[in-house]
Amino acid sequence: MIPVKYNLRSLRIRWVTTLLTALFTGLLVCASVFVFGLVDGLMNAFNVSSDELKLIVLRNGATEEIGSQIDGARARELGSVLESEGIATDSKGRVMSSPEQLTILTKPRRGDTIAVNLGVRGVSDMGPSLRPGFEIVKGRMFEPGKYEAITSPSIAERFQNCGLGEELTINNRPFRIVGLFKASGSVAESEVWTPVADLQAARKTPNFITSVVMMARDEAAKQRLIARIEDDEQFGLEVKDEKEYFQEQVKAVAVIRGIGYGLAMFLSIGAMFGAANTMYAAVAGRAREIGTLRALGFSRFSVLMSFLFESIALCLLGGIVGCLGTLPFNGMSSGTSISFNEVTFSFNFGPRVLLQGALLALTLGLLGGLFPAIRAVRMNIVRALREV
Amino acid sequence: MGFLKYILRNVSRNKLRSLLTALSVGICLAMMTVLYGFITLNDALIPELAAANRMIVMSRDGFTSSIPITVLDHVKRLDGVQSVVPLTWYLGVYRDEKMPSFAQLATDPKELLKVWFEFRLDPDQLQAWQDDRTGCIVDRRNAARYDWNVGDSIRLKGNNYSVDLELTVRGIYDGPEFINDLYFHWEYLDQELRSRNDPKAGTASILFVRAKSEKVMDQLCEQVDQRYENSDHPTLTQSHQAFAQMFTKFAGNLQVYIRNIGLAVVFSLTLVAGNAMAMSMRERTTEIALLKAIGFSRGLVLIMVLGESMAISLLGGVFGVGTGRVVWSTVHYFWPTFVPMDFIAPVVLVSGVAVAAGVGLVSGILPAVRASRLSVIDGLRRVV
């Protein structure tokens, strides 16, 4: 085998080309990793939201909470009727079922005049316990009957009138933001929460519920609950496994993911051609060296491997720089609209995403170096040695 | 002329290198063309909308909330209003589709074509639609896509509403390219809702208003909103173009990211092209020295190298923008939900080619300056 040192020294001696190639592969890998991190963060917002044992009850035929409507009295009744069927209870023995109303307001983001969608959810006392990792990080929990609201730090930061102490107007009724909460980065963090009765009163929609969220005691209880709700014609309700429900929502994210991966692919092909250029020049410029190596008895295979290694080393160098370049953005919070709902998410450049970036660099080094390396192998020894 | 030929000869000398560089530029620009086409699509329509003097009345809480139909009677009587229709997004699911794939709007068939005056619909078909309470009209492209003909029935499953609909196609209209909606009787939907005691009975998602002239629009917006300011259902009235702008804003930071990625791509392409050019120049050191020895001026050598570099990038740019445009049309043809219109703003295409020219110019500067400054003696002496 040709020593690795030979390649590393070759890279060093042509340092301008090496630097340029590493820099552009790095930049293109950086752009791709940035997109991967965005998609990963977005998926994460939906994935942590779902809990195996959680169920969402909607009106029969509704695919989303918006558009679903359930009579409030029936929604409350649902909890007590179904308790025996296996709804979980919390430590105080209360039934874990929360009738909620989700509405979408249009409010301007900060520094903007045009309003965009913002989800406001009226929740019952049980609402917070049904969200994994719910905690108030600043201020306090709202008190029912006082037209108070809480929201996540990222919504507070991004939307006008949503900061702690500010007042958000819902149908001419001001709601004071009294607290900021986190819920392990789930989609709940994209919403403003108020007590359900206050939201109903402000919107003049008494008794109007869009969904009931409930927690099953165990898997068997979950199946019983599903069967019981769906079989009962009187209810006229449909029940969805939360995981399944979010899966539907994630489909919209899948479009963004598709676009993101397409982008990464195109950019990588672009970078690959650039890297191939560098390697072709390296092979052409070192014809005599290659001839000498072969004359010394190094096999075609070792020459091939040697040039492939050089190409991969070159691109990996760029790839690592590119991956590191995204780290300052790790955890950066951002928001976009998924099927007309504002969803906030945090960029996530975890090990998986960085590994994807490194693999990308490796692949483009391999593919970009393959043809130049084959050219090196095919060289006629005598002619190569004669080359000036 | 001979000079240009010389440049082109140089371009095709190391064919593989020029091709790889051009492809690198081209592929990245193809991607950027599609992405920019995407983020500018909505804005590109806005000037077109401005001409029609249309306004939209919606709930202050957003267009997913609804407004009472009584607002319509009030708006209709205002001075300066030419006509007004209710629009309710029914959001039904067609056949075995999982999600609504085209919009179905409940409206007033008598007034719709006064607001959407661009629609072309056969007068007999219009009459037939108006006479049939369960009739609907569909867009010609959608009709072709789903193979609908006049007289066919379309069954929609309620998603946002608890009512399923059975509609009959009474007409096929030609509208602006960005419209592919199905329109049916608001009265029909409302009666069904009323019979079920649905709280959504007696409401519309938005009102679509056509003003008599542009001048009265601002005043009308104010008038409507003031009237309902302190009611149970405050309204938000804005021009059609302002309404459309709202949708552009939905993408949020994504737009900013795409623009930044675009910058990073342009910068790296400059490096790709610059690297290739520098390699070519290094290999041609002796030749350039020779050119200078026989009397080529510094300026001429400079222009020669810059010309070569620009030619390669432009080649890639034209290829890339062209490919991007074709990809756009293809996606539009197969997945019209992603790419609703077969249109990319010309400014995007022109910028794409301009960016390629810029990349060629900037990436050529360093190698060109180097070549022009090359000392004849050193160059001739050097063995590469």
Side-chain angles (χ1 to χ4, degrees):
Chain A
M1 276 298 171
I2 299 167
V4 168
K5 211 191 257 173
Y6 165 70
N7 301 103
L8 297 183
R9 286 201 174 147
S10 299
L11 287 176
R12 208 175 62 196
I13 204 129
R14 312 164 67 95
W15 65 274
V16 179
T17 312
T18 304
L19 195 72
L20 283 174
T21 312
L23 215 57
F24 71 69
T25 29
L27 262 171
L28 293 174
V29 168
C30 185
S32 303
V33 172
F34 188 79
V35 175
F36 292 156
L38 185 153
V39 170
D40 202 73
L42 207 48
M43 296 298 262
N44 188 46
F46 284 99
N47 282 340
V48 297
S49 304
S50 57
D51 188 310
E52 296 280 346
L53 293 176
K54 239 154 80 183
L55 293 170
I56 296 179
V57 182
L58 303 172
R59 171 183 60 73
N60 207 353
T63 54
E64 279 183 64
E65 285 181 87
I66 289 292
S68 161
Q69 68 216 36
I70 302 173
D71 181 61
R74 177 165 300 167
R76 275 190 299 278
E77 184 188 296
L78 209 60
S80 48
V81 168
L82 296 176
E83 194 187 345
S84 57
E85 301 280 352
I87 303 185
T89 47
D90 70 353
S91 52
K92 290 178 194 144
R94 294 178 301 177
V95 181
M96 295 187 77
S97 159
S98 170
E100 302 183 347
Q101 185 190 95
L102 177 68
T103 181
I104 295 182
L105 307 183
T106 50
K107 297 289 174 191
R109 296 195 183 111
R110 290 195 193 271
D112 211 334
T113 48
I114 295 172
V116 296
N117 288 349
L118 172 66
V120 176
R121 183 183 293 276
V123 295
S124 71
D125 309 345
M126 258 310 141
S129 343
L130 282 160
R131 268 68 183 191
F134 177 93
E135 56 166 339
I136 297 280
V137 290
K138 215 169 172 193
R140 59 178 173 82
M141 186 63 188
F142 53 64
E143 282 174 37
K146 289 187 169 172
Y147 295 101
E148 291 175 342
I150 54 173
T151 189
S152 71
S154 55
I155 289 286
E157 184 191 314
R158 294 169 52 75
F159 276 85
Q160 288 178 30
N161 305 322
C162 285
L164 197 60
E166 291 184 307
E167 282 187 341
L168 182 73
T169 308
I170 301 173
N171 209 10
N172 276 345
R173 163 78 70 179
F175 280 72
R176 180 170 291 278
I177 310 286
V178 296
L180 300 182
F181 71 89
K182 284 202 164 170
S184 28
S186 66
V187 281
E189 288 188 16
S190 307
E191 299 167 342
V192 174
W193 281 15
T194 76
V196 64
D198 292 1
L199 186 63
Q200 287 172 332
R203 294 189 67 226
K204 308 207 166 50
T205 49
N207 261 336
F208 180 78
I209 290 294
T210 51
S211 55
V212 181
V213 182
M214 53 177 70
M215 178 82 86
R217 217 172 285 148
D218 48 46
E219 186 57 36
K222 186 176 95 176
Q223 296 309 330
R224 270 205 311 279
L225 282 168
I226 293 176
R228 174 77 169 78
I229 297 170
E230 300 224 317
D231 288 349
D232 202 322
E233 295 275 321
Q234 237 186 343
F235 285 144
L237 299 173
E238 192 166 316
V239 61
K240 284 188 196 285
D241 201 306
E242 194 179 45
K243 202 153 200 168
E244 190 187 314
Y245 176 73
F246 280 115
Q247 225 68 61
E248 287 291 316
Q249 311 268 307
V250 166
K251 274 186 192 150
V253 182
V255 175
I256 296 184
R257 180 162 69 168
I259 294 173
Y261 280 39
L263 178 121
M265 198 183 79
F266 273 82
L267 295 186
S268 306
I269 295 176
M272 199 177 79
F273 286 147
N277 246 344
T278 301
M279 288 315 290
Y280 270 121
V283 170
R286 272 146 60 189
R288 259 172 101 174
E289 287 175 28
I290 295 165
T292 314
L293 287 169
R294 293 287 313 284
L296 285 174
F298 284 105
S299 68
R300 280 170 193 265
F301 182 70
S302 11
V303 172
L304 183 83
M305 280 330 227
S306 177
F307 275 91
L308 273 184
F309 170 77
E310 191 168 322
S311 167
I312 289 171
L314 187 62
C315 291
L316 257 185
L317 183 71
I320 289 167
V321 173
C323 284
L324 292 179
T326 59
L327 286 183
F329 302 108
N330 197 16
M332 181 171 79
S333 93
S334 181
T336 187
S337 190
I338 302 290
S339 50
F340 298 134
N341 269 327
E342 177 83 4
V343 173
T344 65
F345 61 94
S346 303
F347 277 82
N348 185 15
F349 300 106
R352 202 166 60 91
V353 171
L354 294 183
L355 198 69
Q356 275 177 331
L359 269 176
L360 198 69
L362 195 100
T363 317
L364 69 91
L366 188 71
L367 294 179
L370 188 62
F371 292 95
I374 289 175
R375 175 177 280 189
V377 167
R378 285 216 176 142
M379 249 176 224
N380 177 302
I381 302 181
V382 179
R383 208 177 298 150
L385 279 172
R386 232 181 245 151
E387 196 117 326
V388 279
Chain B
M1 244 2 252
F3 194 64
L4 192 68
K5 205 167 171 186
Y6 186 72
I7 290 178
L8 291 179
R9 276 276 164 82
N10 271 337
V11 169
S12 59
R13 181 143 58 159
N14 192 334
K15 285 201 189 65
L16 186 63
R17 177 177 297 157
S18 299
L19 189 72
L20 286 173
T21 312
L23 277 178
S24 185
V25 172
I27 283 178
C28 289
L29 280 180
M31 188 69 216
M32 292 323 290
T33 303
V34 172
L35 282 180
Y36 271 74
F38 212 73
I39 62 175
T40 54
L41 182 61
N42 212 355
D43 286 337
L45 294 177
I46 287 170
E48 200 177 322
L49 298 175
N53 304 335
R54 278 185 290 246
M55 324 186 305
I56 281 158
V57 185
M58 61 179 206
S59 161
R60 179 133 290 189
D61 282 349
F63 61 85
T64 48
S65 303
S66 48
I67 50 175
I69 199 69
T70 48
V71 178
L72 185 140
D73 301 319
H74 169 69
V75 173
K76 203 194 295 189
R77 285 196 301 271
L78 290 175
D79 260 354
V81 169
Q82 184 152 346
S83 42
V84 48
V85 288
L87 287 181
T88 296
W89 351 103
Y90 171 69
L91 292 175
V93 182
Y94 178 58
R95 270 197 199 149
D96 48 357
E97 288 179 346
K98 280 247 160 73
M99 289 292 206
S101 54
F102 56 94
Q104 310 102 25
L105 303 172
T107 189
D108 176 359
K110 296 218 162 52
E111 295 288 318
L112 181 70
L113 267 58
K114 292 181 191 158
V115 177
W116 274 118
F117 58 93
E118 302 98 318
F119 284 14
R120 296 279 160 266
L121 178 64
D122 181 79
D124 293 339
Q125 291 188 349
L126 176 63
Q127 190 60 47
W129 179 40
Q130 288 171 347
D131 292 344
D132 179 5
R133 203 176 63 97
T134 64
C136 68
I137 55 169
V138 295
D139 162 68
R140 188 169 305 281
R141 282 177 299 267
N142 255 349
R145 185 157 165 241
Y146 293 100
D147 193 23
W148 289 326
N149 294 303
V150 172
D152 285 359
S153 81
I154 295 178
R155 192 187 277 263
L156 294 167
K157 196 166 164 294
N159 174 21
N160 209 12
Y161 287 86
S162 54
V163 177
D164 293 348
L165 296 177
E166 177 120 30
L167 302 167
T168 316
V169 178
R170 289 294 169 212
I172 294 173
Y173 69 88
D174 292 287
E177 184 152 13
F178 53 94
I179 302 271
N180 66 349
D181 310 331
L182 177 155
Y183 292 91
F184 65 98
H185 289 237
W186 180 86
E187 293 283 347
Y188 172 41
L189 177 65
D190 199 55
Q191 269 169 21
E192 295 287 317
L193 290 172
R194 218 173 284 265
S195 69
R196 273 158 234 239
N197 272 328
D198 195 298
K200 283 177 184 167
T203 67
S205 300
I206 60 167
L207 301 182
F208 217 47
V209 185
R210 178 140 188 250
K212 279 184 182 138
S213 77
E214 201 197 326
K215 276 172 272 166
V216 296
M217 283 175 66
D218 285 346
Q219 196 206 335
L220 274 177
C221 289
E222 227 166 89
Q223 242 178 319
V224 176
D225 288 349
Q226 258 168 22
R227 164 80 165 74
Y228 293 100
E229 179 83 61
N230 295 309
S231 71
D232 284 356
H233 42 80
T235 58
L236 176 66
T237 309
Q238 53 190 340
S239 66
H240 195 184
Q241 52 276 33
F243 184 74
Q245 246 157 20
M246 205 167 68
F247 286 85
T248 312
K249 291 282 172 187
F250 280 155
N253 298 357
L254 284 193
Q255 284 210 4
V256 181
Y257 299 148
I258 289 178
R259 282 173 207 277
N260 283 335
I261 288 173
L263 271 182
V265 168
V266 168
F267 188 59
S268 28
L269 288 182
T270 312
L271 295 179
V272 170
N275 187 32
M277 210 56 211
M279 289 188 298
S280 293
M281 287 305 116
R282 209 173 301 136
E283 287 162 11
R284 278 188 232 153
T285 309
T286 324
E287 190 183 308
I288 290 164
L290 196 67
L291 282 179
K292 292 178 88 174
I294 59 172
F296 276 68
S297 71
R298 279 187 170 195
L300 218 48
V301 171
L302 192 84
I303 291 173
M304 205 181 73
V305 180
L306 280 182
E308 181 178 341
S309 153
M310 281 181 74
I312 294 173
S313 290
L314 265 176
L315 205 71
V318 170
F319 164 76
V321 170
T323 310
R325 187 67 187 78
V326 171
V327 167
W328 182 268
S329 295
T330 316
V331 176
H332 166 74
Y333 183 79
F334 288 105
W335 299 282
T337 33
F338 294 155
V339 174
M341 277 176 73
D342 192 7
F343 170 81
I344 295 185
V347 63
V348 172
L349 304 178
V350 173
S351 323
V353 177
V355 160
V359 163
L361 185 70
V362 173
S363 66
I365 287 176
L366 213 64
V369 168
R370 252 218 209 138
S372 73
R373 287 213 183 135
L374 183 75
S375 129
V376 179
I377 314 261
D378 283 350
L380 284 176
R381 201 183 275 152
R382 193 153 108 198
V383 181
V384 188

